[in-house]
Amino acid sequence: MSRVPMVAGNWKMNGSLASSCDLLEKIEEQSDSIKGVDIAVFAPYIYLPAVCEKLKSSSIITGAQNLCKYDSGAYTGEVSASMLQDFSVDAVILGHSERRHVFGESSADVAEKVKIAVAAEITPVFCVGEKLEERERGKTEAVILEQMNAVIDLCGVEIFSKVIVAYEPVWAIGTGITATPEQAQEVHAYIRGLIAEQNSSIAADLRLLYGGSVKPDNAKGLFSMNDIDGGLIGGASLKAEDFISICKSAID
Ligand code: PGA
């Protein structure tokens, strides 16, 4: 299997400029010695210029947590893909459940964002995942299918050669309740299968991250599953020691 694992820190709306720089320095100090895993940090917009500057000659991938589906114009409070390009931002989280469920982004909105990010050569980390009541009603696959199909219908399946998918069950995010490795693997295999129905080589190369209460003590079990290629880490990415330990768990 040729997929390089990735461990990505989603800092969400946390920290200050000083604490973000401090966290980054601690991650950077240790990241050089970790080979065979792509390490990424997704910082709040306002800290991105500082983060990009600090990581200019580092292998750590820099990312934003969202972008606007429009390129420019009267969209107060929004940030476009071309603005992110100005700072050489490598990647962007799109469709995070907090964007979908707190800020009301639809699957169609997210699909447009995926399209615009790829056109700007910014790698989307495209998030999908079901809520607890959807899982309890046996709707997990239907929810994932709808979220995936929005992108496939707008952009074609080929776009997944340039997209990373993160499966993040909403009930596991920030709750301390992690999906078991088997539960996560089942959904990851479903997602890969969906892509494989249309293009088996894109499916084989697609990187699928798991997110939702990944911690140093459960990362290895999750990352050792066949279709789990790393993680999108929230809370534990704010502590350098925990984040680095999770990064190391992604190496065989
Ligand atoms: P968590 O967040 O690790 O704090 O559960 C993950 C995420 O929302 O990306």
Side-chain angles (χ1 to χ4, degrees), residues 10 12 96 98 168 172-175 211-215 232-236:
N10 175 10
K12 307 194 180 187
H96 190 278
E98 287 145 21
E168 298 207 306
I173 296 177
T175 57
S213 297
V214 178
K215 307 287 176 210
L232 182 55
I233 321 299

Side-chain angles (χ1 to χ4, degrees), residues 73-106:
Y75 303 105
T76 302
E78 294 289 299
V79 171
S80 70
S82 53
M83 291 171 179
L84 296 178
Q85 273 178 318
D86 270 346
F87 293 92
S88 305
V89 170
D90 305 302
V92 62
I93 296 174
L94 295 174
H96 190 278
S97 69
E98 287 145 21
R99 299 299 321 168
R100 292 178 188 267
H101 303 305
V102 182
F103 297 98
E105 284 184 19
S106 67

Side-chain angles (χ1 to χ4, degrees), residues 62-234:
T62 54
Q65 298 172 12
N66 189 20
L67 55 67
C68 181
K69 64 178 179 176
Y70 304 112
D71 196 48
S72 68
Y75 303 105
T76 302
E78 294 289 299
V79 171
S80 70
S82 53
M83 291 171 179
L84 296 178
Q85 273 178 318
D86 270 346
F87 293 92
S88 305
V89 170
D90 305 302
V92 62
I93 296 174
L94 295 174
H96 190 278
S97 69
E98 287 145 21
R99 299 299 321 168
R100 292 178 188 267
H101 303 305
V102 182
F103 297 98
E105 284 184 19
S106 67
S107 291
D109 292 328
V110 179
E112 289 191 54
K113 292 179 180 203
V114 170
K115 188 175 179 183
I116 211 162
V118 169
E121 297 185 349
I122 300 172
T123 303
V125 175
F126 165 59
C127 303
V128 296
E130 80 290 0
K131 295 189 208 163
L132 183 59
E133 72 266 22
E134 292 165 337
R135 173 163 283 263
E136 286 172 348
R137 283 191 289 122
K139 297 276 183 230
T140 299
E141 290 188 357
V143 170
I144 306 289
L145 181 64
E146 187 274 331
Q147 294 169 339
M148 293 289 294
N149 272 347
V151 175
I152 296 172
D153 292 348
L154 183 72
C155 310
V157 78
E158 295 71 27
I159 202 162
F160 281 92
S161 64
K162 298 192 170 123
V163 172
I164 295 167
V165 176
Y167 168 57
E168 298 207 306
V170 181
W171 48 271
I173 296 177
T175 57
I177 304 165
T178 320
T180 64
E182 293 72 22
Q183 279 174 321
Q185 165 61 27
E186 196 180 6
V187 179
H188 282 229
Y190 174 69
I191 295 169
R192 200 179 301 287
L194 276 180
I195 301 295
E197 280 170 19
Q198 296 189 47
N199 189 316
S200 56
S201 84
I202 291 178
D205 289 342
L206 177 66
R207 291 202 280 181
L208 284 171
L209 312 184
Y210 167 79
S213 297
V214 178
K215 307 287 176 210
D217 61 356
N218 61 26
K220 189 101 204 159
L222 287 157
F223 298 168
S224 64
M225 303 307 279
N226 274 347
D227 289 295
I228 302 183
D229 308 310
L232 182 55
I233 321 299

